[in-house]
């Protein structure tokens, strides 16, 4: 029997240890867009970028493809990225092991402080909106690996080695993709790299068949990422959905491929040419799901705003200059989960 994807409805909590955790009942992001009336397609067409070709004689053509994918779709998949399959499997396996640990072991890392170096976020109920969000997520800094590795979980014992090796490999992919994105905008290859700082990872666990007395159950609700880009590795269980041409489409997993999508900061840097991707995760009736999101973000003092080359008489600046620190602080103050949090930094319109 094939897996059934459930954007809503209630199902019983599974009995695995990872599903017995106490859930927090507060939502740090209270403003979530209502997308009523949006059709859900059975499947969508995902732009696929061959990273081997990006490093070869056809680089200029691949850069054009990346630019079109960022501008039209807001995301693309990357194959032949160079992350060894063994490292991918080790990372996904370690993630499952962690979330199958007893509650007392995992909950050591639970925190509501978004500035924690490492924190576990559990599911929550939003009774105001009649929504239950089931995802559990371990979030932590990972670059440079040696600086943060000592603060990662020691259980399972393979965590430090497997996660460290995967994160180091993803960092290489991240830099190569950001160079290509810079060039796709007509900027210097290292334009984005100059403001690049950290790497923040979310290991996401979506238990199968969770139930709530509320009407709608999500894996993760509709949001954009407050990043430059996010690189997502999925296991073989579908769940990611994105908005494309006014419809939800399923971004089904491709073997050994990663999904790259545009974040809020790239929307600002590109002067709104590349739009931050609205996406969500839905729950699966029969199987648990694991994904690894690698978030790329700038240094706190990096000046964010439209690149000067992208601003002219016909393309006025949509956003004023601001630091990433200012953006990060305002993000938690306004409690908005989409790129509308950039509205605080819109440039004044000339009359």
């Amino acid at each position: 029997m094939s897996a059934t994807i459930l954007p809503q409805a209630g199902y019983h909590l599974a009995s695995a240890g990872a599903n017995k955790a106490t859930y927090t009942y507060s939502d740090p992001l209270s403003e979530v867009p209502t997308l009523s009336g949006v059709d859900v397609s059975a499947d969508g067409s995902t732009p696929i970028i061959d990273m081997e070709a990006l490093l070869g004689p056809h680089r200029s053509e691949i850069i054009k493809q990346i630019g079109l994918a960022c501008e039209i779709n807001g995301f693309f998949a990357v194959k032949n990225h160079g992350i060894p399959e063994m490292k991918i499997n080790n990372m996904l396996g370690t993630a499952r092991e962690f979330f199958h640990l007893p509650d007392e072991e995992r909950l050591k890392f639970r925190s509501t402080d978004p500035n924690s170096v490492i924190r576990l976020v559990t599911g929550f109920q939003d009774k105001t909106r009649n929504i239950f969000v089931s995802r559990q997520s371990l979030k932590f800094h990972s670059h440079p690996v040696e600086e943060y590795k000592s603060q990662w979980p020691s259980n399972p014992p393979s965590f430090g080695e497997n996660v460290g090796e995967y994160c180091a490999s993803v960092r290489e992919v991240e830099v190569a993709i950001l160079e290509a994105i810079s060039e796709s905008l007509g900027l210097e290859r290292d334009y984005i790299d100059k403001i690049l700082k950290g790497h923040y990872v979310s290991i996401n666990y979506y238990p199968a068949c969770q139930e709530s007395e509320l009407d709608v159950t999500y894996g993760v609700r509709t949001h954009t990422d407050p990043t430059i880009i996010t690189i997502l590795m999925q296991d073989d269980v579908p769940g990611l959905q994105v908005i494309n041409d006014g419809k939800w489409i399923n971004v089904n997993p491709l073997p050994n491929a990663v999904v790259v999508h545009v974040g809020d900061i790239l929307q600002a840097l590109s002067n709104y040419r590349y739009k931050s991707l609205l996406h969500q995760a839905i729950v699966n009736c029969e199987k648990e799901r694991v994904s690894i999101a690698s978030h790329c973000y700038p240094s706190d003092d990096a000046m964010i705003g439209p690149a000067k080359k992208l601003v002219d008489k016909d393309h006025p600046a949509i956003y004023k200059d601001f630091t990433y620190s200012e953006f990060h602080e305002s993000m938690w103050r306004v409690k908005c989960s989409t790129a509308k949090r950039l509205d605080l930094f819109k440039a004044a319109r000339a009359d």
Side-chain angles (χ1 to χ4, degrees), residues 19-304:
N19 298 329
K20 296 178 183 177
T22 302
Y23 287 93
T24 55
Y25 294 93
S26 61
D27 180 7
L29 301 173
S30 60
E31 292 301 321
V32 177
T34 301
L35 295 168
S36 58
V38 178
D39 294 327
V40 180
S41 65
D43 194 4
S45 178
T46 299
I48 299 176
I49 301 299
D50 187 341
M51 195 158 171
E52 281 187 350
L54 180 64
L55 304 176
H58 302 293
R59 179 178 178 84
S60 60
E61 178 58 34
I62 301 301
I63 286 173
K64 289 179 183 178
Q65 292 177 18
I66 289 174
L68 284 173
C70 288
E71 188 166 358
I72 297 171
N73 305 92
F75 76 102
F76 52 90
V78 178
K79 65 178 184 178
N80 297 325
H81 43 63
I83 306 174
E85 184 176 356
M86 182 183 69
K87 291 184 180 181
I88 293 171
N89 292 336
N90 287 346
M91 179 68 181
L92 292 171
T94 298
R96 291 189 191 94
E97 284 186 65
F98 175 81
F99 283 103
H100 288 164
L101 291 172
D103 287 356
E104 59 270 18
E105 186 68 28
R106 288 178 298 104
L107 295 180
K108 293 176 182 176
F109 298 96
R110 188 164 64 177
S111 171
T112 58
D113 180 4
N115 295 313
S116 295
V117 171
I118 183 168
R119 64 190 179 106
L120 177 71
V121 179
T122 58
F124 61 85
Q125 295 191 35
D126 184 341
K127 294 186 178 180
T128 302
R129 294 177 179 270
N130 217 25
I131 288 172
F132 175 60
V133 178
S134 67
R135 182 188 69 168
Q136 300 177 45
S137 182
L138 184 68
K139 303 173 180 290
F140 54 91
H141 292 275
S142 63
H143 181 79
V145 168
E146 295 307 318
E147 181 176 333
Y148 295 106
K149 190 174 181 179
S150 63
Q151 300 179 65
W152 296 351
S154 57
N155 195 9
S158 62
F159 193 100
E161 179 179 359
N162 290 342
V163 173
E165 289 182 352
Y166 176 82
C167 290
S169 294
V170 170
R171 182 70 174 191
E172 295 179 7
V173 175
E174 177 182 89
V175 171
I177 293 296
L178 289 174
E179 288 179 348
I181 288 175
S182 291
E183 290 183 74
S184 76
L185 289 166
L187 305 173
E188 298 81 4
R189 180 182 292 196
D190 64 349
Y191 183 89
I192 297 177
D193 188 50
K194 287 177 181 177
I195 67 169
L196 188 60
K197 178 191 178 184
H199 193 88
Y200 193 73
V201 174
S202 295
I203 300 180
N204 304 311
Y205 177 77
Y206 302 89
C209 302
Q210 297 241 18
E211 185 180 66
S212 167
E213 72 273 16
L214 304 183
D215 286 347
V216 181
T217 298
Y218 284 97
V220 173
R221 296 186 300 183
T222 306
H223 66 287
T224 63
D225 287 352
T227 60
I228 304 174
I229 59 172
T230 296
I231 300 177
L232 183 73
M233 173 62 69
Q234 307 181 79
D235 65 9
D236 59 354
V237 180
L240 175 64
Q241 290 187 332
V242 306
I243 285 287
N244 201 10
D245 289 332
K247 295 181 179 180
W248 283 117
I249 65 170
N250 298 317
V251 183
N252 291 328
L254 299 173
N256 297 320
V258 296
V259 175
V260 177
H261 65 76
V262 175
D264 298 349
I265 299 303
L266 182 53
Q267 176 172 309
L269 289 172
S270 68
N271 202 29
Y272 203 56
R273 178 172 165 183
Y274 297 165
K275 314 296 191 301
S276 194
L277 182 69
L278 273 171
H279 59 287
Q280 67 181 18
I282 55 178
V283 295
N284 189 290
C285 170
E286 298 176 358
K287 295 181 179 180
E288 66 184 12
R289 176 174 177 259
V290 171
S291 69
I292 315 297
S294 301
H295 304 290
C296 163
Y297 62 93
S299 59
D300 288 345
D301 60 353
M303 191 60 68
I304 310 300

Side-chain angles (χ1 to χ4, degrees), residues 271 306-318:
N271 202 29
K308 304 309 178 190
K309 279 189 176 182
L310 304 180
V311 177
D312 56 32
K313 182 180 179 181
D314 296 324
H315 303 91
I318 303 297

